[in-house]
Amino acid sequence: MPRGLKFQRKHRKLGYRIKYLYYFLARRDVLQKKVSYGDMNPNDIIYLIKPDFQDGVEGLLSLIFRQLLYISMAKKNGYIPYVDWKNYKTQYYDGRNNVWEYFFKQPSNLNENEIYRSKNVYLSGWTFRTINPEGLFEAEVFSDNRIRRESSKMLCEHIKFSAEVLRIVDQEARNLQIEKCIGVYIRGTDYVKLKPSGEYVQPSVNQMKCKIWEFENKYNAPIFLVTEDGDIFDELKSEFGEIIKIVSFDTFIRNYEGKEVLSKSDVLEKDKKLRGQKYLAKMILLAKCKYFVGSMTQGSKFSYILNNGNYSDEYVFDLGLYP
């Protein structure tokens, strides 16, 4: 997990400045810079968007929020954006494909060959002034309607899901009758056992049970459950029985030892492409539910922003940050 994350989230503007100063002195590779790869497109400025950190730890939706900010910034400045997850590592890296395109369409019509022959190219990265002065995609999306709307506007304008992901979503949405469901999202495993500093405190299973029963008694609706934790699934399935619904391809992590974050452990599905597409599809499905009960994570932010205030009723546990 990023160092100083708790401070950054509690003191967003000051935290950014301190982090930038650190990167300027010790991690120049994280800063935005201009390069030239050839003589193509001399009249255009290309903005090559990459993950800030190639550590293979950041989750898909955590990565997405930063890439979105870069895409938006590029378009505002008249640059042509291109996202490269082939030559820069994420946890979905395979060394052969631009894995961004497993999940999303490119934000422009340029291809990799053109990008790496172009004359005027900026590599995305941290700049002296933050590209996110309003705090979009932060926890305030759950409490500030303006921040949520602006975040949703940016997401919907600049992100287009891949055809493969949309096929998964459409099929599962029909099978689940997702528009009738109470969407329930709860993280377990590394969030609970490691309690990573600066990440959002997760509710206990008993806290979640109480809130689900409250919604169930009000609305008498099926429950679409999203969790990676097999123990949490077993306990909620035992409590709520057949009204619990899951996607047809769901799998759960059991016997997690809690020694490393999930992305560095050996418990995840080996097919990185399918793992990421399935996860993204589940989070899109959560955004299509009629009601929502969830814990606060990067994933639940994504679903909440994508839904953009259209849940008939909702509850998100805000329990602070792990110390």
Side-chain angles (χ1 to χ4, degrees):
M1 300 296 176
R3 292 181 181 178
L5 182 59
K6 184 176 182 182
F7 184 86
Q8 283 179 259
R9 282 183 166 157
K10 294 187 76 172
H11 308 281
R12 183 169 51 82
K13 292 182 180 179
L14 178 59
Y16 181 88
R17 293 192 182 103
I18 293 172
K19 206 76 173 187
Y20 175 81
L21 179 61
Y22 166 74
Y23 291 149
F24 183 81
L25 296 172
R27 287 289 308 273
R28 301 299 291 270
D29 61 300
V30 177
L31 305 183
Q32 177 181 283
K33 63 180 179 181
K34 189 174 183 180
V35 297
S36 181
Y37 294 116
D39 296 320
M40 286 187 70
N41 303 309
N43 299 317
D44 295 318
I45 297 177
I46 313 299
Y47 202 70
L48 196 160
I49 297 166
K50 59 183 177 57
D52 285 340
F53 315 101
Q54 287 89 59
D55 56 12
V57 172
E58 273 190 285
L60 178 61
L61 299 181
S62 179
L63 285 163
I64 290 311
F65 294 146
R66 189 71 181 170
Q67 308 294 269
L68 258 172
L69 290 164
Y70 286 137
I71 293 170
S72 177
M73 185 275 291
K75 289 187 175 181
K76 283 179 182 176
N77 288 330
Y79 304 161
I80 302 174
Y82 177 86
V83 184
D84 186 351
W85 283 11
K86 174 183 176 181
N87 299 292
Y88 298 92
K89 289 185 178 180
T90 66
Q91 63 170 282
Y92 303 98
Y93 176 81
D94 65 10
R96 301 181 306 278
N97 300 289
N98 189 341
V99 299
W100 169 268
E101 293 161 11
Y102 290 165
F103 313 116
F104 311 102
K105 296 179 181 179
Q106 283 291 347
S108 70
N109 294 322
L110 291 185
N111 59 46
E112 181 187 11
N113 185 55
E114 291 177 278
I115 296 297
Y116 286 99
R117 293 185 179 183
S118 291
K119 184 177 181 62
N120 305 304
V121 180
Y122 278 103
L123 300 181
S124 70
W126 285 52
T127 56
F128 179 72
R129 291 184 179 180
T130 177
I131 62 171
N132 189 21
E134 294 185 271
L136 304 184
F137 310 116
E138 299 294 342
E140 287 78 11
V141 299
F142 295 114
S143 57
D144 187 319
N145 288 339
R146 185 186 66 82
I147 295 294
R148 187 208 69 229
R149 286 194 299 269
E150 289 300 312
S151 299
S152 180
K153 181 181 178 183
M154 186 179 291
L155 180 93
C156 294
E157 280 184 1
H158 301 310
I159 284 288
K160 305 299 179 188
F161 301 114
S162 72
E164 288 180 88
V165 167
L166 290 177
R167 278 196 294 272
I168 297 171
V169 171
D170 289 345
Q171 182 175 339
E172 296 296 326
R174 288 194 299 272
N175 293 340
L176 293 162
Q177 295 184 294
I178 199 69
E179 70 283 354
K180 299 177 181 179
C181 289
I182 303 169
V184 172
Y185 178 66
I186 179 170
R187 275 294 308 269
T189 55
D190 53 350
Y191 259 57
V192 173
K193 291 196 174 183
L194 297 180
K195 296 179 171 58
S197 177
E199 293 293 358
Y200 305 103
V201 175
Q202 298 300 290
S204 69
V205 179
N206 284 335
Q207 285 176 302
M208 187 62 79
K209 284 180 183 177
C210 290
K211 188 55 64 175
I212 294 172
W213 273 124
E214 182 181 317
F215 272 63
E216 184 59 30
N217 289 334
K218 276 186 187 178
Y219 305 116
N220 189 30
I223 298 162
F224 172 56
L225 175 62
V226 176
T227 184
E228 85 291 357
D229 192 309
D231 294 334
I232 291 175
F233 169 75
D234 292 342
E235 196 163 343
L236 292 179
K237 181 70 174 177
S238 176
E239 180 82 7
F240 295 99
E242 294 306 310
I243 61 171
I244 290 280
K245 295 186 175 187
I246 59 174
V247 290
S248 63
F249 50 76
D250 227 348
T251 57
F252 302 98
I253 297 168
R254 303 180 189 277
N255 303 315
Y256 170 67
E257 295 180 356
K259 294 180 179 179
E260 290 188 290
V261 295
L262 284 184
S263 54
K264 287 195 171 183
S265 69
D266 61 356
V267 298
L268 294 175
E269 182 176 345
K270 303 305 179 188
D271 189 320
K272 296 177 182 180
K273 176 181 178 180
L274 282 177
R275 182 213 309 166
Q277 288 181 335
K278 290 174 180 178
Y279 171 63
L280 179 59
K282 287 191 286 186
M283 304 315 292
I284 297 171
L285 287 164
L286 278 175
K288 293 177 176 291
C289 290
K290 189 170 185 178
Y291 315 98
F292 181 71
V293 177
S295 60
M296 197 176 284
T297 68
Q298 297 296 81
S300 60
K301 282 183 201 173
F302 177 85
S303 299
Y304 196 82
I305 291 166
L306 190 60
N307 176 271
N308 196 23
N310 290 313
Y311 293 121
S312 296
D313 198 359
E314 63 190 54
Y315 186 87
V316 178
F317 287 89
D318 184 359
L319 304 174
L321 304 172
Y322 288 117

